[in-house]
Amino acid sequence: MTCWYEGPLAAFDTETTGVDVETDRIVSAAVVVQDAPGGRPRVSRWLVNPGVPVPEGATAVHGLTEDHLQRNGRWPSPVMDEIVRELAEQSAAGRPLVVMNAPFDLTLLDRELRRHRASSLDHWFETVPLRVLDPRVLDKHLDRYRKGRRTLTDLCAHYGVELTGAHDAAADALAAMDVVRAVGRRFAARLERLSPAELHTLQAVWHAAQARGLEAWFARSGTEEPVDPAWPLRPELPAAA
């Protein structure tokens, strides 16, 4: 029987106006589908005119200028609908969804759906199970004592994955997928008997523990900085009084 990391996977990534999931916007997104390692990926891309200013700092990361997005991007409402439909279709087809640092991208998508579609990510997955594989959470749990950062670029270097065109949504999604496959092979003895559904549940526990550890490290460093333990989606903030 083929192990999940040798079988069909989908991957999702976004580029954004910033790093605040509550206020920043998606400017590009991609879903990459691959039926087997080394197989030709099928890529769906979206370019979005977010309707808000695009900071120069964000453009410096992904190269998408406000002018380019205004000229070539589509309005967010139909795009967010297309993205979430694609993710739901991939999940319904039984493909686990690879998302690097899932609480960022999935929460951003959820907030965009609420903002533009009066909907939510949870609504789309009430009957279709969402099975997320987060290379950052998996690597940090399985190789927890390794020193150094764990960005996508770092993980690609560590696992020997080629990353061409970093901070392009499609390139990052494909690289994250390759990292997940590499993690699966390296830690096969610990992962091959677990299904994606079981891993989804375990990653929520692992991420919460990782968040508590990071928060404790901040405290020891003299920085009282809270770290959200929720995975793969952060809960909606209560409405301001």
Side-chain angles (χ1 to χ4, degrees):
M1 184 177 178
T2 302
C3 294
W4 58 263
Y5 51 82
E6 303 291 1
L9 295 175
F12 173 60
D13 189 72
T14 66
E15 297 300 330
T16 68
T17 60
V19 297
D20 187 330
V21 296
E22 301 299 337
T23 60
D24 280 305
R25 310 297 176 89
I26 293 172
V27 296
S28 71
V31 174
V32 177
V33 180
Q34 188 183 51
D35 293 327
R40 184 181 181 88
R42 302 187 295 280
V43 182
S44 299
R45 303 172 185 265
W46 294 268
L47 192 66
V48 187
N49 178 357
V52 300
V54 180
E56 291 182 2
T59 296
V61 172
H62 49 59
L64 298 171
T65 66
E66 186 171 334
D67 180 68
H68 177 76
L69 293 168
Q70 287 177 351
R71 291 175 180 272
N72 301 285
R74 298 167 57 204
W75 288 113
S77 179
V79 171
M80 300 311 150
D81 184 67
E82 290 172 17
I83 292 172
V84 76
R85 285 180 185 275
E86 178 68 18
L87 297 182
E89 287 176 11
Q90 296 304 325
S91 294
R95 296 185 184 95
L97 182 64
V98 176
V99 190
M100 173 72 186
N101 191 17
F104 179 76
D105 292 84
L106 294 183
T107 303
L108 262 168
L109 177 59
D110 176 77
R111 302 315 190 249
E112 290 279 52
L113 288 167
R114 293 175 186 274
R115 185 177 294 122
H116 298 291
R117 303 291 304 182
S119 183
S120 69
L121 196 65
D122 284 339
H123 169 75
W124 284 89
F125 291 93
E126 288 175 346
T127 58
V128 177
L130 180 64
R131 297 177 293 270
V132 176
L133 299 170
D134 188 332
R136 186 173 183 272
V137 174
L138 291 170
D139 172 73
K140 197 169 184 179
H141 176 78
L142 295 163
D143 197 1
R144 67 183 67 184
Y145 300 113
R146 189 178 80 250
K147 302 294 184 182
R149 302 171 66 204
R150 299 179 194 244
T151 66
L152 179 59
T153 301
D154 297 320
L155 295 184
C156 286
H158 181 72
Y159 287 98
V161 169
E162 182 179 356
L163 174 55
T164 303
H167 299 297
D168 169 82
D172 286 356
L174 180 58
M177 181 187 295
D178 289 342
V179 168
V180 162
R181 294 194 191 280
V183 169
R185 295 186 194 104
R186 184 168 299 187
F187 297 98
R190 299 167 66 180
L191 294 176
E192 62 185 357
R193 296 184 181 179
L194 294 171
S195 69
E198 291 169 327
L199 273 173
H200 181 98
T201 301
L202 287 169
Q203 285 170 100
V205 176
W206 296 343
H207 179 271
Q210 292 163 10
R212 290 193 296 271
L214 183 58
E215 198 167 62
W217 183 86
F218 281 139
R220 291 194 299 271
S221 302
T223 305
E224 296 296 330
E225 185 171 335
V227 182
D228 197 321
W231 183 97
L233 178 66
R234 297 176 189 173
E236 185 183 16
L237 292 176

